[in-house]
Amino acid sequence: MRNLLVAASPAIFVLLWSTGFIGSKLGAPYIEPFAFLSVRFAIVLPVLFAMTLAMRRTWPATFSDYLHCLVSGALMHGVYLGGIFWAIDNGMPAGISALVLGLQPLLTALIAGPVLHEKIDAKHWVGLAAGGAGLALVLGPKLGLAASGISAVTIAACIVSVVAMSAGAVYQKRFVSKIDLLPGTTLQYAGALLITIPMSTFESWEITWSGDLIFALAWLIFVLSIGAILLLMYLISQGSAARVAALFYLVPVATAVESYFLFDETLSAVQIAGMGLVIAAQILIQRGAITLRRRQA
């Protein structure tokens, strides 16, 4: 059973991670983005802290380890999610925001090479290119439509998120992956609050409590911020940063399908073809051999 769960963990992660865009879309009408994230992280932090104490996990031994956790959390949660939530709050469709963020695997692979000494074979690069082409097919029909919520500003916010998540994943693999998972993740959310709380001071903090908002918060806190994030940290610790990042190509496909059923975000034949290309690219990437070059002393 354990081996089955380990083998299924990438698929479980993709499914869980894709629902994060849906949760942000569901809660967006009732609370501003950085206030939303600040409330979310402020609840997650003591939950993970209590879990860490109850399970008697080992906290980092050095100040630099604490600092690395804070930096990776600021990038992977604070900046990454801040950009997504802001873009969605300003009209970007959930499915399309996920597709823009699908550029992450390519950027992560580019960073991972020189930083982590990951040697990526030709199949992986072909798969990355095919995945990028597939994302372009899905995104293309929406560009230029004023009513679609896609603008230079919302795309720029998503691009900032892409860069932050890619850099954060590589930073996590380089400096944080050997730190105990629970305390490391707890510290990461403290780092995220260092980004979201200052940004939320520019917002009104007017919150309209509703069933949708409460459900979105509960789902994002327990399923995403605890379940999916711990799973992501595990995947990063067990594999190469480039291979784990390639899973994010599948997230936009899952999100677009979910958005189609939940928010009536339409899909054309070209977009569906693009999704097929993304899936084919993911298969090619996961079959490609990625080897790690030993770092020379």
Side-chain angles (χ1 to χ4, degrees), residues 179-194:
I179 295 174
D180 197 313
L181 191 61
L182 266 177
T185 305
T186 303
L187 291 169
Q188 286 180 329
Y189 280 115
L193 282 169
L194 295 177

Side-chain angles (χ1 to χ4, degrees), residues 7 22-23 29-30 49 52 61 75 77 90 95 101-102 119 137 182-183 188 226 232 238-239 253 255 258 264 276:
I22 304 302
Y30 309 103
F49 183 76
T52 302
L75 290 170
H77 306 312
N90 283 270
L101 294 169
K119 185 179 180 180
L137 287 176
L182 266 177
Q188 286 180 329
I226 296 177
L232 175 61
Q238 296 299 308
V253 176
T255 303
E258 293 160 3
D264 296 324

Side-chain angles (χ1 to χ4, degrees), residues 237-270:
S237 68
Q238 296 299 308
S240 78
R243 185 180 291 277
V244 173
L247 292 173
F248 284 81
Y249 266 152
L250 289 176
V251 172
V253 176
T255 303
V257 173
E258 293 160 3
S259 299
Y260 173 80
F261 287 106
L262 294 175
F263 302 120
D264 296 324
E265 294 184 6
T266 59
L267 295 171
S268 67
V270 172

